[in-house]
Amino acid sequence: MSGPEGQSVRQDALYADAVAAHGGMIARLSAGYEADPALREDLEQEIHLQLWRSFAGFAQQCSLATWVHRIAHNVGARHVHCAVRAKPAGFVDLDTVDVADTRAGPEDSADAALTLDRLYALIWRLRPIDRQVMLLHLEGLDAAACAEITGLTPGAVTTRIHRIKALLARQFAGGNRP
């Protein structure tokens, strides 16, 4: 099938493959970019819409995984940018991150759900580029793949990951609430 109908079938098939392979990543990424559950759902829907639209121009210049991550992170970054313009959130540098968790005491820190909440609380406070790098790293992408998606160099990605991991280690190992 050629023409517009063939393009639509190809676009639908690529989208279905992408969602089957990377739908979980899109949900986790949405949670990493947006704390509010209703806005998170909107963001996830926007990522899916933009991903489907993007397959009209997908010429397989990179892997499907890289394409999905790139589209998802671009939509997430645009979401954060718009939110910052609408209401400045007070992003901080990695060296000065201090997130207060008022929901639980130190005895609850072993709970996996609380630990994940604490991790997201810290990630939500990072500058958008640091947030993007950390979310990609948590998805298991290496520095080269992160660099391809973010436009940073692999060395810059590695440095950011190292600094963010050190920050997380200080926050969690020290018993501090991020």
Side-chain angles (χ1 to χ4, degrees), residues 80-134:
V80 170
H81 178 73
C82 290
V84 167
R85 289 184 69 192
K87 177 182 169 193
F91 294 115
V92 296
D93 289 327
L94 290 177
D95 296 332
T96 60
V97 170
D98 183 29
V99 179
D101 182 356
T102 59
R103 293 171 286 169
E107 64 277 2
D108 297 325
S109 65
D111 179 21
L114 178 59
T115 301
L116 186 59
D117 285 348
R118 291 173 63 202
L119 177 61
Y120 277 134
L122 179 59
I123 290 172
W124 291 327
R125 294 283 314 272
L126 296 173
R127 290 179 299 178
I129 190 65
D130 293 328
R131 185 184 313 179
Q132 185 175 24
V133 167
M134 193 63 209

Side-chain angles (χ1 to χ4, degrees), residues 32-106:
Y33 275 116
E34 180 56 61
D36 180 272
L39 293 175
R40 182 182 312 139
E41 185 176 319
D42 290 347
L43 173 59
E44 189 171 348
Q45 289 176 359
E46 180 67 16
I47 291 169
H48 280 279
L49 174 64
Q50 294 306 324
L51 182 61
W52 181 82
R53 285 181 177 171
S54 76
F55 285 125
F58 181 58
Q60 297 180 331
Q61 61 271 35
C62 61
S63 73
L64 182 64
T66 298
W67 186 262
V68 172
H69 279 88
R70 185 178 294 152
I71 298 300
H73 279 277
N74 285 344
V75 173
R78 187 172 55 245
H79 172 81
V80 170
H81 178 73
C82 290
V84 167
R85 289 184 69 192
K87 177 182 169 193
F91 294 115
V92 296
D93 289 327
L94 290 177
D95 296 332
T96 60
V97 170
D98 183 29
V99 179
D101 182 356
T102 59
R103 293 171 286 169

